[in-house]
Coordinates of all heavy atoms in Angstrom, one line a residue:
Chain A
V191 N 13.6 -13.5 6.3 CA 14.1 -12.2 5.9 C 14.3 -11.3 7.1 O 15.4 -10.7 7.2 CB 13.1 -11.6 4.9 CG1 13.4 -10.1 4.7 CG2 13.2 -12.3 3.5
F192 N 13.4 -11.3 8.0 CA 13.5 -10.4 9.2 C 14.8 -10.7 9.9 O 15.6 -9.9 10.2 CB 12.3 -10.6 10.1 CG 12.2 -9.7 11.2 CD1 11.4 -8.6 11.2 CD2 12.8 -10.1 12.5 CE1 11.4 -7.7 12.4 CE2 12.7 -9.2 13.6 CZ 12.0 -8.1 13.5
D193 N 15.0 -12.0 10.3 CA 16.1 -12.5 11.0 C 17.4 -12.2 10.3 O 18.5 -11.8 10.9 CB 16.1 -13.9 11.4 CG 15.0 -14.2 12.5 OD1 14.6 -13.2 13.2 OD2 14.6 -15.4 12.7
A194 N 17.4 -12.4 9.0 CA 18.7 -12.2 8.2 C 19.1 -10.8 8.2 O 20.3 -10.5 8.4 CB 18.4 -12.7 6.8
V195 N 18.2 -9.9 8.2 CA 18.6 -8.4 8.2 C 18.8 -7.9 9.6 O 19.7 -7.2 9.9 CB 17.5 -7.5 7.6 CG1 17.9 -6.1 7.4 CG2 17.1 -8.1 6.1
S196 N 18.0 -8.5 10.5 CA 18.2 -8.2 12.0 C 19.6 -8.6 12.4 O 20.3 -7.8 13.2 CB 17.2 -8.9 12.8 OG 17.3 -8.7 14.2
S197 N 20.1 -9.7 12.0 CA 21.4 -10.2 12.4 C 22.6 -9.6 11.6 O 23.7 -9.7 11.9 CB 21.5 -11.8 12.2 OG 21.4 -12.1 10.9
G198 N 22.1 -8.9 10.4 CA 23.2 -8.3 9.6 C 23.7 -9.3 8.5 O 24.6 -9.0 7.8
T199 N 23.2 -10.5 8.4 CA 23.6 -11.4 7.4 C 23.3 -10.8 6.1 O 24.1 -10.9 5.1 CB 22.8 -12.7 7.6 OG1 23.0 -13.2 8.9 CG2 23.3 -13.8 6.6
A200 N 22.2 -10.1 5.9 CA 21.9 -9.3 4.8 C 21.7 -7.9 5.3 O 21.2 -7.7 6.4 CB 20.6 -9.8 4.0
Q201 N 22.2 -6.9 4.5 CA 22.2 -5.6 5.0 C 20.8 -5.0 4.9 O 20.4 -4.0 5.6 CB 23.2 -4.7 4.2 CG 24.6 -5.0 4.3 CD 25.0 -6.0 3.2 OE1 24.2 -6.7 2.5 NE2 26.3 -6.2 3.1
I202 N 20.0 -5.5 3.9 CA 18.7 -4.8 3.6 C 17.7 -5.9 3.2 O 18.1 -6.9 2.6 CB 19.0 -3.7 2.5 CG1 17.7 -2.9 2.2 CG2 19.6 -4.4 1.2 CD1 18.0 -1.6 1.4
G203 N 16.4 -5.6 3.4 CA 15.4 -6.5 3.1 C 14.1 -5.8 2.7 O 14.0 -4.6 2.9

Side-chain angles (χ1 to χ4, degrees):
Chain A
V191 164
F192 185 95
D193 287 344
V195 185
S196 180
S197 65
T199 305
Q201 297 91 347
I202 187 168

